[in-house]
Amino acid sequence: MEYKPQEIEEKWQKVWEEEKVFSAKEEGRKVYVLEMFPYPSGRIHMGHVRNYTIGDALARFMHFKGYSVMHPMGWDAFGLPAENAAIKHGVHPADWTYENIAYMKRQLKSLGFSYDWDREIATCDPEYYRWNQWLFLKFLEHGLAYRRSAEVNWCPNDQTVLANEQVIEGRCWRCGTPIERREVPSWYLRITAYAERLLEDLKDLEGKWPERVIAQQRNWIGRSEGALIKFYVEDIPIEVFTTRPDTVFGATFVVLAPEHPLTLELAKRGGRYEEVYAFVESLKRKSTRERGIEEEKRGVFLGLYATNPATGEKIPVWTANYVLYEYGTGAIMCVPAHDQRDYDFAVKYGLPIRHVIKPPDGEPPQDKAYEEAGVLINSGAFDGMPSEEAKRAITQWLKEKGFADFKVSYRLRDWNISRQRYWGTPIPVVHCEYCGIVPVREEELPVLLPRHVKITGHGNPLEGAEDFVKTTCPQCGRPARRETDTMDTFFDSSWYFLRFCDPKNHKAPFSPERVEFWMPVDYYIGGIEHAVLHLLYARFFQKFLYDLGLVKDKEPFLRLITQGMVLKRWVSVEKYLKYLGINEEEPLEKLVERIKEDMKGS
Amino acid sequence: MKVKDFLIENKLSVGDNFRLLLERLGLFDEAYVKKIEGVVGEPAKMSKSKGNTVDPEEAIKRYGADTVRLYILFAGPVEKDFEWTEEGVQGAYRFLRRLWSLFFKHLDTIKPLSYSAKDFKNLKPQAKEIRRKAHQTLKKYLEDMQELSFNTAIASIMELVNALQDFSPQEEEDYKVLKEALELTLFMLYPLAPHICEELWHRLGKEGLMIYHRFPEPDEEALKSEEIEIPVQVNGKLRAVIRVPLDEEEERVKRLALEDPRVARLLDGKQVKKVVYVKNKLINLVVGDG
């Protein structure tokens, strides 16, 4: 007898499937094993195989241990590549997607994975995305979804807005094109309202999630304690957020971000509008990335002075490229003696530098900023106080004078879910000339994605779909226009693990009873690259649904396993030429000769 | 023509895989490529742009799903990156083939046998040792699986299969031990490489799919290792006899000998200068005055 896997594997796969061996039943002790569902890109790769093999080994082992196991699989099926395929090959995104799903499903089956295929979901199915829309309406109802015009990350190649999380080192996470800044009206989810809970509950995940994922989330949420301090320019207060209120006596100038609404107004008052306007415009053409890596700090004086609330001194107000409007209040107090960036700026423009913190032993350095803790000097009544203690004391003192307050600040921003794209969930609102923005009624869901659209690769195809756009206002019945933004696909994947518990529910996204039985996910397996994207959004959704009373668990994923990558050895042409000692300018014959020689030698 | 122009003409960049260059030059040779990769290559995440992917479909076609699964789980701890090698995947394939032939070598003999606890009461040393190994492996396997340490779980299954290959059963009891051990192996391997296990399980004449059967528990009786008596000499004179497990580590035997009250009394105030241990036979302590 010879071992011929091809002859036995398919046979057993059929038996398992026909006998519904892996159908999940609500009885006894449960285990929910879940692998991050794939994007149907066409073919599975070895990374998928590793991911799912780990899950399958666990699921089958748990079956043996007598658990009632749920091990489902589905498709994160909306997204850009389907549209790119439409542009390139003229195939409809839906057809492309469903063909890929069929192919990949066959591939997964050929690996013998123990999925309960009866629970399969595809997020591009109206039966799934109608519940995205339903959830969106719930967010809207609770004041957690809002629309505002804001400067956003714009990918000029994909012609779409990107979330902060989708900008990797200033580039589009998908195509690598440097992003630009643009004013676009967009829909946001108020994830910042959950910042504190998202941070706090990370403690419950310690020991169950990889430490570095927890660290990355903590860092992404970026809680910092500090003070909000007002620097008055005549009657106008400039609010700055600082984590170093202990250094306020050393603040010798104030800088506003170029986009700060006060920048141009103050420049007008200061009589320097033209210079400042030109400077602000010059920066608009630059992406955050370019601004981030621009080594040279540049700025312009606005022509007037603010009062340092601690010293009573008049200090100049500037605008500069190194202050970003998105962070803190978009304005900073500058303490060149104790902040290196402020120091560089002060040296360049000849602004005063005053030391207010002294190292515990010795003198502060003269050629750079001293950023560590120490003891206060040149700070009036606070001289001699350790800087940590002074943070509180000075904030309290300024608070009593009406100039400051304690403030906790987060790095986390609200989540922009608008995409100017076709292949996604339509955002269920209409724009009415008379009533403004009106949500589509729940019973009208789903707002179906129209099949016939022109996909050209520029702009949003939905804008050209008149049948889709033209509608009537749910409130007044007059003609109105549908929202054409679709949802970031991370919305789709933020709750799919709940849908798996009750995948065929036609009345609700899921029944709370089904979810209570299966949730939380006991083992969640996927790549580390989702540390702050998917995994943070999913936690946010879970908490929101918890507040709605629809789920009982505060955290969706009990244990997280981030599998490593599959590597393979390779040699680049460059490395090979170097190894042979040949450069590109040499004749081809010489290269061929060297290769043949090298082959003989081996 | 310059090398540079050849690259441009063939739409190659210096960042491409050198395999492409050799192909375009008509000089591709698998053995040579392997050698170069071994000398100057470096492992990198599989990607289309680097041309260093392995298509799962191809691998399944060639080796079967069980081999691919087993290899992936065996190649390293779950959270760590691992480098895919052809040798590695072939190793997993060879292991499954060995298991397969081992099975069929004994199938006709073991198929009609049934066993129960009483069959294992009076086993010969070799069979007893095999049984101990099988249950020890099972015990460790259960711990490893709980920790998601699939690679170490597989390593011990492999060791067990090696031991079963070296085992030459003589009597019916021996075959019963072998049958039990092979069944344990199937259970342990099933979550990792399910198809081959299901197949062999049915070849054994079992009814119903494996998943419906109770997963075995390690037999505490089998885990017990045999104890032997070891004479303890002090300066060549027999002073005590201690009981230790067979094949116990030397350090532990030494400690047990020194802790024996009769020996301890003799050693009071004296210094142990040398210890001679003859494995499983005897221990002699050479002592002198302080």
Side-chain angles (χ1 to χ4, degrees):
Chain A
M1 275 301 290
E2 212 187 314
Y3 173 46
K4 289 189 185 128
Q6 294 76 7
E7 282 171 18
I8 58 169
E9 293 185 345
E10 215 181 302
K11 176 178 77 184
W12 290 114
Q13 285 156 15
K14 272 215 185 85
V15 174
W16 294 330
E17 187 168 346
E18 278 160 13
E19 293 197 19
K20 293 200 180 293
V21 175
F22 301 109
S23 167
K25 289 171 211 73
E26 285 185 29
E27 56 194 21
R29 294 179 304 165
K30 69 92 188 178
V31 164
Y32 185 175
V33 179
L34 183 64
E35 299 115 47
M36 291 180 185
F37 69 164
Y39 177 74
S41 56
R43 300 279 187 276
I44 61 167
H45 54 66
M46 225 28 115
H48 291 127
V49 179
R50 189 175 193 197
N51 191 165
Y52 309 150
T53 300
I54 293 164
D56 197 54
L58 253 173
R60 285 181 185 257
F61 179 65
M62 290 298 170
H63 262 291
F64 263 154
K65 300 259 288 180
Y67 286 95
S68 193
V69 178
M70 175 155 77
H71 187 212
M73 182 42 83
W75 312 96
D76 190 8
F78 273 138
L80 224 40
E83 254 173 277
N84 293 340
I87 296 160
K88 219 170 158 187
H89 308 296
V91 51
H92 193 277
D95 299 341
W96 185 84
T97 303
Y98 280 108
E99 268 166 39
N100 287 348
I101 287 176
Y103 195 91
M104 288 169 77
K105 191 172 170 180
R106 268 205 307 282
Q107 289 188 306
L108 294 183
K109 285 188 173 179
S110 77
L111 278 153
F113 295 138
S114 61
Y115 295 127
D116 179 355
W117 283 108
D118 289 340
R119 290 177 186 263
E120 178 181 6
I121 53 183
T123 56
C124 63
D125 180 350
E127 274 304 305
Y128 184 86
Y129 72 68
R130 67 181 291 188
W131 304 113
N132 278 343
Q133 295 173 337
W134 185 88
L135 284 164
F136 177 86
L137 295 181
K138 292 291 150 199
F139 278 116
L140 198 61
E141 202 179 301
H142 289 80
L144 292 168
Y146 64 92
R147 189 173 193 254
R148 77 173 155 90
S149 185
E151 213 174 69
V152 294
N153 305 305
W154 175 262
C155 172
N157 181 52
D158 295 339
Q159 298 273 309
T160 193
V161 173
L162 299 172
N164 284 335
E165 291 88 334
Q166 293 169 336
V167 179
I168 311 294
E169 290 168 6
R171 289 168 183 272
C172 172
W173 72 309
R174 186 178 292 286
C175 67
T177 308
I179 58 112
E180 288 171 4
R181 307 290 296 169
R182 272 213 189 175
E183 287 272 337
V184 173
S186 300
W187 284 96
Y188 285 84
L189 289 190
R190 209 182 293 282
I191 189 174
T192 51
Y194 283 76
E196 193 56 45
R197 283 162 68 187
L198 287 168
L199 186 70
E200 190 57 31
D201 292 350
L202 284 174
K203 284 186 193 135
D204 299 336
L205 302 177
E206 276 166 19
K208 300 173 195 150
W209 280 34
E211 257 172 60
R212 61 183 178 137
V213 174
I214 293 178
Q216 278 185 62
Q217 290 217 354
R218 212 164 256 151
N219 185 38
W220 189 263
I221 297 166
R223 184 184 198 275
S224 52
E225 283 183 16
L228 209 54
I229 304 178
K230 287 177 191 160
F231 286 70
Y232 276 91
V233 179
E234 293 153 24
D235 55 327
I236 302 173
I238 298 172
E239 287 207 316
V240 307
F241 173 75
T242 176
T243 57
R244 294 296 305 270
D246 53 317
T247 63
V248 66
F249 284 85
T252 53
F253 56 104
V254 169
V255 174
L256 301 181
E259 305 89 340
H260 196 293
L262 283 177
T263 301
L264 289 175
E265 196 185 323
L266 292 180
K268 218 178 276 171
R269 281 205 198 187
R272 292 184 53 91
Y273 184 79
E274 265 160 44
E275 294 95 317
V276 174
Y277 182 79
F279 176 74
V280 170
E281 282 301 302
S282 78
L283 288 176
K284 266 197 184 151
R285 284 191 292 275
K286 292 195 187 278
S287 65
T288 328
R289 178 188 79 98
E290 288 165 310
R291 274 181 61 186
I293 59 165
E294 219 177 13
E295 299 235 332
E296 189 66 24
K297 291 175 184 58
R298 298 186 294 123
V300 183
F301 178 42
L302 301 187
L304 34 66
Y305 296 83
T307 307
N308 180 328
T311 61
E313 272 175 331
K314 299 274 188 204
I315 59 175
V317 182
W318 286 63
T319 183
N321 61 347
Y322 75 101
V323 178
L324 299 177
Y325 186 53
E326 293 83 41
Y327 293 102
T329 59
I332 61 170
M333 67 174 205
C334 297
V335 186
H338 305 293
D339 181 289
Q340 191 58 41
R341 287 158 30 119
D342 297 346
Y343 180 89
D344 296 340
F345 194 78
V347 168
K348 178 169 176 184
Y349 291 102
L351 293 158
I353 297 170
R354 180 187 299 145
H355 290 273
V356 290
I357 308 280
K358 182 169 89 61
D361 41 3
E363 290 302 308
Q366 294 300 315
D367 55 347
K368 62 173 194 218
Y370 174 73
E371 294 185 334
E372 286 84 71
V375 176
L376 269 69
I377 52 172
N378 301 324
S379 298
F382 299 95
D383 282 358
M385 194 182 273
S387 49
E388 273 311 308
E389 194 185 329
K391 283 182 181 174
R392 228 201 122 67
I394 288 184
T395 307
Q396 184 61 34
W397 173 63
L398 288 176
K399 185 180 174 175
E400 281 158 17
K401 300 207 298 174
F403 288 117
D405 208 342
F406 293 96
K407 168 89 178 162
V408 174
S409 179
Y410 299 91
R411 202 174 88 94
L412 184 69
R413 306 285 99 189
D414 278 343
W415 170 16
N416 181 336
I417 58 158
S418 277
R419 295 293 175 275
Q420 288 66 36
R421 283 275 150 186
Y422 166 68
W423 195 231
T425 305
I427 291 178
V429 300
V430 302
H431 298 272
C432 171
E433 241 181 86
Y434 299 90
C435 311
I437 290 171
V438 183
V440 174
R441 283 205 207 98
E442 258 181 52
E443 54 274 23
E444 302 289 324
L445 299 181
V447 175
L448 286 173
L449 206 52
R451 174 153 174 117
H452 299 287
V453 289
K454 284 196 197 75
I455 301 171
T456 59
H458 298 286
N460 182 353
L462 283 178
E463 277 167 7
E466 280 298 303
D467 289 354
F468 173 80
V469 175
K470 279 189 187 157
T471 184
T472 50
C473 171
Q475 208 159 289
C476 69
R478 291 194 184 91
R481 293 180 74 76
R482 274 192 200 287
E483 173 64 67
T484 55
D485 283 358
T486 53
M487 296 180 193
D488 180 358
T489 57
F490 277 103
F491 195 108
D492 314 351
S493 56
S494 292
W495 68 282
Y496 77 107
F497 44 90
L498 298 169
R499 183 72 180 171
F500 273 139
C501 302
D502 192 11
K504 298 199 169 68
N505 196 325
H506 298 294
K507 298 201 174 81
F510 51 82
S511 109
E513 290 76 38
R514 301 279 85 76
V515 159
E516 194 181 340
F517 182 83
W518 290 112
M519 285 294 285
V521 174
D522 295 272
Y523 296 94
Y524 195 32
I525 308 146
I528 186 95
E529 67 275 16
H530 294 290
V532 284
L533 295 142
H534 164 57
L535 288 169
L536 190 65
Y537 296 147
R539 295 182 60 227
F540 164 47
F541 270 51
Q542 179 81 12
K543 287 178 195 306
F544 173 61
L545 292 166
Y546 176 88
D547 290 349
L548 294 186
L550 295 176
V551 304
K552 294 253 158 98
D553 304 288
K554 290 183 183 169
E555 287 291 331
F557 312 123
L558 202 62
R559 218 179 137 180
L560 175 71
I561 297 131
T562 51
Q563 91 272 358
M565 293 187 293
V566 184
L567 314 176
K568 190 156 188 301
R569 203 164 272 274
W570 81 299
V571 177
S572 66
V573 169
E574 187 177 18
K575 205 157 192 186
Y576 182 54
L577 292 179
K578 209 169 152 197
Y579 159 81
L580 293 173
I582 299 270
N583 75 56
E584 286 181 72
E585 300 297 329
E586 290 181 88
L588 187 65
E589 294 74 41
K590 195 173 164 197
L591 172 66
V592 172
E593 208 175 293
R594 272 292 290 127
I595 294 174
K596 285 185 173 159
E597 234 175 72
D598 196 50
M599 283 178 152
K600 256 187 237 151
S602 61
Chain B
M1 184 193 262
K2 285 181 181 174
V3 172
K4 192 170 81 181
D5 300 325
F6 181 81
L7 293 178
I8 293 168
E9 200 166 276
N10 285 277
K11 297 195 172 69
L12 285 174
S13 94
V14 289
D16 285 334
N17 198 314
F18 88 121
R19 288 166 173 256
L20 295 176
L21 175 63
L22 293 178
E23 274 169 19
R24 303 281 153 80
L25 288 168
L27 291 170
F28 190 86
D29 175 78
E30 190 62 41
Y32 176 68
V33 165
K34 277 266 160 62
K35 186 202 119 183
I36 299 299
E37 284 176 345
V39 179
V40 287
E42 54 189 49
K45 184 183 179 179
M46 285 186 182
S47 74
K48 277 193 190 138
S49 66
K50 293 197 182 77
N52 66 340
T53 58
V54 174
D55 180 13
E57 212 168 294
E58 292 282 311
I60 296 165
K61 225 173 260 166
R62 185 178 281 185
Y63 301 107
D66 281 338
T67 293
V68 172
R69 296 171 55 128
L70 190 71
Y71 172 50
I72 277 189
L73 294 173
F74 181 56
V78 164
E79 310 243 343
K80 292 265 175 353
D81 297 348
F82 84 87
E83 184 187 336
W84 180 284
T85 66
E86 211 51 32
E87 295 72 32
V89 73
Q90 281 165 4
Y93 183 60
R94 274 198 306 274
F95 168 72
L96 292 181
R97 239 177 25 197
R98 275 200 292 134
L99 176 68
W100 182 271
S101 6
L102 177 64
F103 232 89
F104 283 95
K105 184 174 158 198
H106 299 295
L107 185 62
D108 292 341
T109 323
I110 61 175
K111 194 172 167 181
L113 294 180
S114 61
Y115 56 84
S116 68
K118 68 174 187 338
D119 294 316
F120 302 133
K121 281 260 162 23
N122 294 302
L123 294 174
K124 295 222 170 103
Q126 207 200 358
K128 196 167 186 173
E129 188 49 34
I130 286 290
R131 193 158 186 268
R132 192 164 73 92
K133 175 118 190 150
H135 284 269
Q136 233 172 19
T137 306
L138 177 60
K139 192 175 175 203
K140 181 172 180 297
Y141 170 89
L142 289 170
E143 291 161 8
D144 285 347
M145 290 297 279
Q146 210 65 48
E147 297 295 312
L148 312 191
S149 183
F150 303 114
N151 58 327
T152 55
I154 295 168
S156 31
I157 297 172
M158 287 176 168
E159 268 179 47
L160 174 62
V161 171
N162 287 344
L164 296 182
Q165 269 188 313
D166 295 342
F167 180 46
S168 35
Q170 313 279 324
E171 300 161 24
E172 195 175 281
E173 265 71 37
D174 295 346
Y175 278 103
K176 287 180 176 176
V177 167
L178 179 65
K179 183 171 186 178
E180 188 203 27
L182 283 171
E183 286 180 9
L184 293 185
T185 303
L186 293 188
F187 273 109
M188 290 188 281
L189 204 55
Y190 174 86
L192 319 163
H195 310 86
I196 187 174
C197 298
E198 194 81 86
E199 177 72 19
L200 294 176
W201 179 254
H202 282 79
R203 296 275 183 157
L204 271 175
K206 302 283 184 182
E207 295 286 322
L209 295 170
M210 268 196 96
I211 199 81
Y212 297 133
H213 288 263
R214 255 180 76 109
F215 198 82
E217 293 283 329
D219 179 359
E220 289 302 324
E221 228 17 74
L223 288 173
K224 273 189 201 156
S225 57
E226 205 180 324
E227 282 205 337
I228 51 167
E229 291 188 337
I230 293 195
V232 183
Q233 297 181 341
V234 177
N235 290 339
K237 266 193 188 158
L238 179 68
R239 295 296 185 179
V241 174
I242 55 170
R243 292 187 68 83
V244 299
L246 186 68
D247 294 334
E248 184 58 279
E249 282 169 46
E250 183 170 342
E251 276 309 305
R252 269 191 56 93
V253 177
K254 223 190 277 180
R255 209 169 63 229
L256 286 170
L258 293 170
E259 280 168 4
D260 185 278
R262 283 158 299 184
V263 177
R265 210 173 48 232
L266 281 169
L267 294 187
D268 194 27
K270 301 222 166 74
Q271 198 187 6
V272 180
K273 298 210 159 129
K274 201 175 152 195
V275 180
V276 182
Y277 176 58
V278 185
K279 194 176 173 187
N280 294 334
K281 290 272 192 296
L282 164 130
I283 184 162
N284 184 23
L285 308 169
V286 183
V287 300
D289 290 317

